[in-house]
Amino acid sequence: MVAKRRGKIINFCSLLTFQGGLTVPAYAAAKGALGQLTKALANEWSKDNVQVNGICPGYIKTDM
């Protein structure tokens, strides 16, 4: 994408990107890291017209 000077990347984050979670420290750490990676790549690649965004859906009721 950088070589072609265009592209879009969408990362699926979660609310735990921004807050700690009870009983899910590894998940929260991974989502926090993904949030920071999204920001870093957006900053680095914006000059090459590559858009990097993250979406963070809210809580969804499931059987889990």
Side-chain angles (χ1 to χ4, degrees), residues 1-2 7-11 38 41 45 50-55:
M1 291 184 195
V2 171
K8 299 179 189 306
I9 297 171
I10 301 173
N11 291 323
T38 301
L41 293 178
W45 291 345
V50 176
Q51 297 175 353
V52 184
N53 291 288
I55 61 171

Side-chain angles (χ1 to χ4, degrees), residues 1-48:
M1 291 184 195
V2 171
K4 292 183 177 185
R5 298 191 52 78
R6 66 185 183 97
K8 299 179 189 306
I9 297 171
I10 301 173
N11 291 323
F12 286 88
C13 303
S14 82
L15 289 179
L16 294 186
T17 301
F18 308 105
Q19 66 189 36
L22 298 173
T23 72
V24 289
Y27 179 83
K31 291 300 183 174
L34 182 59
Q36 292 302 316
L37 178 65
T38 301
K39 293 173 189 178
L41 293 178
N43 287 334
E44 186 172 338
W45 291 345
S46 63
K47 68 183 182 335
D48 296 309

